[in-house]
Amino acid sequence: MEHIYTSVERAKGTLVLLHGTGGNEQSMLPIAKHLTDEWNVLSVRGEVNENGALRFFKRLREGVLDEDDLIARTAQFHETLTHWANEYTFSLQDIVFIGYSNGANFAANYLLQFPNAVKGGILLHPMVPTRRHNVASLDKTNIFISAGIHDPLVPYEETEQLLDMYRSAHANVQAHIESNGHQITYTELEAAKQWLTTLSRI
């Protein structure tokens, strides 16, 4: 997979950046820079081309995910991520995903499909990726979820259901809810920054 990797000395961990539909490996770099300069950064380009827009997995139509493709590509991504961890000498357990929209859905599924494999994720405007996974415990997983109550792409009920899924599996979850739409706001990034700063001390 096409990607950009940047390391820092005495890194707190590694941020894995997953863009939204139509983005690329450059799209999330300003967000990572806003949040911290103390983590390694691995920014990934989605391999699915939907009418010229890059994604991490297919969908059947807007708002309806192709769950078979999602699960298969998540498994492939786990193998690739393990390879990168060996190549760049970082630990999977020190990874925090930062995903937006399609990238957030991809990260949300990874956290369910590979329980406690990574440290956690910042999920910006995700929806429930699938209900197929029966996860017993996410007790070592830390998750920040942001959402807009008036998001036209992700009904707020989806956010509540995803929060319930993670909390039922005993993940450490923080939610940041605003009365906005699907766009990323300064205030949610500031909340995510504070969350990541606190996580760095754990």
Side-chain angles (χ1 to χ4, degrees), residues 103-116:
N105 297 337
F106 195 56
N109 183 68
Y110 184 102
L111 298 177
L112 295 168
Q113 192 164 331
F114 295 94
N116 290 331

Side-chain angles (χ1 to χ4, degrees), residues 2-190:
E2 294 292 329
H3 63 281
I4 298 170
Y5 179 73
T6 305
S7 62
V8 298
E9 292 186 9
R10 296 182 293 277
K12 302 290 186 182
T14 299
L15 301 177
V16 175
L17 312 185
L18 304 169
H19 61 79
T21 299
N24 57 37
E25 68 273 25
Q26 301 283 343
S27 302
M28 300 291 287
L29 293 176
I31 289 176
K33 185 176 181 180
H34 180 89
L35 295 183
T36 183
D37 59 3
E38 297 182 315
W39 291 62
N40 302 325
V41 172
L42 175 62
S43 191
V44 185
R45 179 194 295 184
E47 294 187 314
V48 173
N49 190 318
E50 182 184 85
N51 301 318
L54 295 176
R55 293 171 51 85
F56 287 97
F57 61 94
K58 298 175 183 178
R59 58 183 171 183
L60 302 177
R61 58 185 179 277
E62 188 169 294
V64 181
L65 311 183
D66 185 332
E67 296 183 14
D68 290 336
D69 189 66
L70 169 61
I71 291 169
R73 290 183 186 275
T74 301
Q76 293 169 2
F77 183 67
H78 177 67
E79 293 182 4
T80 302
L81 201 55
T82 301
H83 169 76
W84 284 334
N86 292 328
E87 179 181 356
Y88 297 122
T89 63
F90 61 80
S91 170
L92 285 182
Q93 285 72 38
D94 291 333
I95 284 176
V96 170
F97 292 118
I98 303 180
Y100 168 59
S101 193
N102 176 250
N105 297 337
F106 195 56
N109 183 68
Y110 184 102
L111 298 177
L112 295 168
Q113 192 164 331
F114 295 94
N116 290 331
V118 300
K119 193 166 191 174
I122 295 174
L123 311 181
L124 307 173
H125 303 264
M127 62 192 300
V128 175
T130 180
R131 293 175 174 81
R132 296 186 188 180
H133 304 303
N134 184 17
V135 181
S137 178
L138 290 170
D139 61 318
K140 296 180 177 63
T141 303
N142 305 276
I143 303 171
F144 175 95
I145 292 180
S146 66
I149 292 177
H150 300 295
D151 191 327
L153 300 180
V154 182
Y156 183 61
E157 292 76 12
E158 283 272 333
T159 304
E160 292 180 315
Q161 291 168 22
L162 184 58
L163 288 168
D164 286 344
M165 290 173 68
Y166 286 138
R167 286 169 175 159
S168 295
H170 310 292
N172 178 19
V173 183
Q174 178 177 323
H176 179 84
I177 311 301
E178 299 187 355
S179 59
N180 293 305
H182 199 65
Q183 73 278 14
I184 298 173
T185 68
Y186 176 81
T187 47
E188 74 182 279
L189 290 184
E190 284 297 292

